[in-house]
Amino acid sequence: LPAEKNPIKIEEVKKDLVKENNENSATKTAVDNGPRMTLESIKKICKQHKGYATPELNDILYLHFQGFGKIENLELYTGLKCLWLEANGIQKIENLDHQKELKC
């Protein structure tokens, strides 16, 4: 979306997410004992699956079989139409508010 129509300030979200990821990247909560779905891990997986380095350009994310316990840090992936999450330890579908093109 053009910047004037996009209510999300991308640079601010990026800074906040990077800061949060840096603070919490090595920590695990009691709820999810698996690896965290960090921006760095998502970008690495995108690269492995020939995705784009720019999060907004990806329309498919292959995050299956990664051991993630929680859906998080997908705010920048606003162009998603397909999200593969099977075979993870995800207990609750949440944090998908920014994925307006994602459909069941």
Side-chain angles (χ1 to χ4, degrees):
L1 292 175
E4 63 274 357
K5 291 185 180 180
N6 191 347
I8 303 168
K9 298 195 188 256
I10 300 295
E11 291 305 317
E12 289 178 18
V13 172
K14 282 182 184 179
K15 287 177 185 176
D16 291 343
L17 289 173
V18 168
K19 181 180 176 186
E20 180 181 325
N21 281 328
N22 288 338
E23 292 171 355
N24 299 322
S25 64
T27 63
K28 297 178 185 177
T29 66
V31 174
D32 57 354
N33 294 324
R36 297 275 317 267
M37 191 182 291
T38 63
L39 287 176
E40 292 81 18
S41 65
I42 297 169
K43 285 184 179 187
K44 182 179 177 183
I45 294 167
C46 280
K47 186 176 180 179
Q48 291 170 349
H49 290 279
K50 309 280 191 256
Y52 296 102
T54 304
E56 302 87 24
L57 298 179
N58 290 288
D59 59 350
I60 299 175
L61 273 184
Y62 298 101
L63 302 177
H64 53 304
F65 297 97
Q66 300 295 321
F68 296 131
K70 182 178 178 183
I71 300 171
E72 57 186 335
N73 296 314
L74 294 177
E75 292 87 351
L76 299 177
Y77 292 84
T78 55
L80 288 182
K81 294 180 181 177
C82 184
L83 180 60
W84 293 88
L85 290 169
E86 76 250 33
N88 284 293
I90 298 168
Q91 300 293 314
K92 183 178 177 184
I93 304 297
E94 60 185 346
N95 300 325
L96 296 174
D97 301 331
H98 297 289
Q99 286 67 45
K100 303 297 182 197
E101 296 183 47
L102 193 61
K103 305 215 189 290
C104 295

